[in-house]
Amino acid sequence: PSSGPVGTRVTIEGAGFAEKNTIYAGYAVLNDIPSSDGKTLSFAVEPPLPPEIHRSSGLITYWFYVQNKNGLSNVATFYLQTKP
């Protein structure tokens, strides 16, 4: 999905993913994320957010990209919903 609340599971599709990938997602760093087929990665959007963000309304732009032994991916965007 391109947007959702904290905890939304995102699947990245592409090529060149390795057995161990690092996903830089907002302020979080997710290490050793595996790709079973070299074409997809999956992670939950669970950024460290200050309490005042949870009280706000709207969407927060959340960027992420992947790094592994093959290099860096393009940057992708997810829109984090702060309230349902």
Side-chain angles (χ1 to χ4, degrees):
S2 59
S3 67
V6 169
T8 298
R9 193 126 194 101
V10 172
T11 298
I12 304 168
E13 296 178 351
F17 297 132
E19 289 180 22
K20 294 184 178 182
N21 303 275
T22 300
I23 300 174
Y24 295 90
Y27 292 105
V29 178
L30 310 171
N31 291 305
D32 298 331
I33 305 300
S35 174
S36 61
D37 61 5
K39 298 177 185 177
T40 58
L41 289 173
S42 185
F43 72 100
V45 177
E46 296 181 2
L49 297 172
E52 58 272 10
I53 295 291
H54 292 287
R55 292 189 297 269
S56 68
S57 62
L59 299 175
I60 296 172
T61 304
Y62 184 72
W63 292 280
F64 59 90
Y65 63 95
V66 178
Q67 180 179 24
N68 62 31
K69 65 182 181 179
N70 299 319
L72 293 172
S73 73
N74 295 331
V75 174
T77 303
F78 180 83
Y79 296 99
L80 183 65
Q81 298 170 349
T82 58
K83 290 203 174 191

